Amino acid sequence: MMVKAIQQKLMKTFAICKLKCLTYLGIMMVYSLAMPAYAQGVFPEDEVKSAMQAKINLALQYQVKFKARPDHNFLLTADYRFFPDKASAKNMPGVIVLHDCHSQRNNYQSLSTSIAEQGLHTLSLDFRGYGSSVAQGYSKLEVKKHATDIISFQTEIAVLMSYWTEDLLAAYEYLRKKVDKSQGISIVASGCAGAYAVALAEKVHLSSMVLLTPDMSYGDKERYKNLVDIPSYFISSAQHAISYATAQELFAWSGARHSKLQVYKGDKLNYQVIRANKYLVNDIALWLKFTLR
């Protein structure tokens, strides 16, 4: 009798365990079907962030190509950035972003993105011969490859850069079609591109300009001083004597009320200053938006 009672008790215990196991497995199956992301270690907030990032990337940027001039087939390449929820097709100002003489537009992507996040139409240009603005006879890499000495290299690069003034004017005209006539356009120029920003300002009205570690000749600086006062944001590195002196000189000369001078420690130039100072891109974007209001 005792053995039989123990057997019955064990069977009852096994039945309860079996029921619990089946119930647990059922719950896990429903849970896994409802929340497949958890099974892979991906949480809902991660999925939301990924979806948002994909949406932003799609809405924010697309590559454009346009002729440098109507009678010439050479095509310039640029990134046109904007946030549809912050800037409709015609109601916000625009900004052109120019790379320095030793890089290309991709090095300024974080800056262009930050400007676009302020609701500004942003065009980041590759100058002729650099980045994606290349063709047979117009390529810095090809010039470097075939140069026999430093003199021939510098001569060929000077020829290539002689087109940059009209290239920038074409970029301005492209962006001008995107922006309503009542809205202004500003420019961000890094290093040697500052001279081309000044040349553009002599032809069209610019609302403001940012000169990042400016590399300008005596003649370029004198041309800047002959412009009608334009709000200008000068950024330089304290240990880079040439650009630091240029930024100080032009800032002292500028009579525009909202002109600004920012000096950082070190000797970094061009986009390297941006990478070394994480809040600089946002500061530039906010200043541009303020001067374009």
Side-chain angles (χ1 to χ4, degrees), residues 92-95 115 120-121 182-187 206-208 285-293:
M92 293 295 285
V95 178
I115 294 169
L120 304 173
H121 295 264
S182 65
Q183 300 295 333
I185 290 179
S186 294
I187 195 164
L206 293 178
S207 296
S208 59
L286 290 172
W287 183 86
L288 285 166
K289 186 175 182 180
F290 174 79
T291 59
L292 281 163
R293 61 185 181 178

Side-chain angles (χ1 to χ4, degrees), residues 99-124:
H99 63 79
D100 59 275
C101 289
H102 306 287
S103 63
Q104 56 188 6
R105 77 185 195 282
N106 292 344
N107 294 114
Y108 295 85
Q109 183 172 341
S110 64
L111 176 58
S112 299
T113 301
S114 184
I115 294 169
E117 286 174 342
Q118 294 300 322
L120 304 173
H121 295 264
T122 307
L123 189 70
S124 183

Side-chain angles (χ1 to χ4, degrees), residues 263-275:
V263 180
Y264 290 96
K265 290 288 187 181
D267 60 355
K268 289 181 170 57
L269 293 173
N270 308 321
Y271 66 89
Q272 295 173 348
V273 175
I274 293 173
R275 291 182 178 179

Side-chain angles (χ1 to χ4, degrees), residues 40 55 64 82 100 118 126 160 170 181 202 258 289:
Q40 301 174 11
K55 182 179 178 182
V64 297
F82 72 107
D100 59 275
Q118 294 300 322
D126 265 338
L160 197 59
K181 292 181 179 179
E202 291 176 325
H258 299 298
K289 186 175 182 180

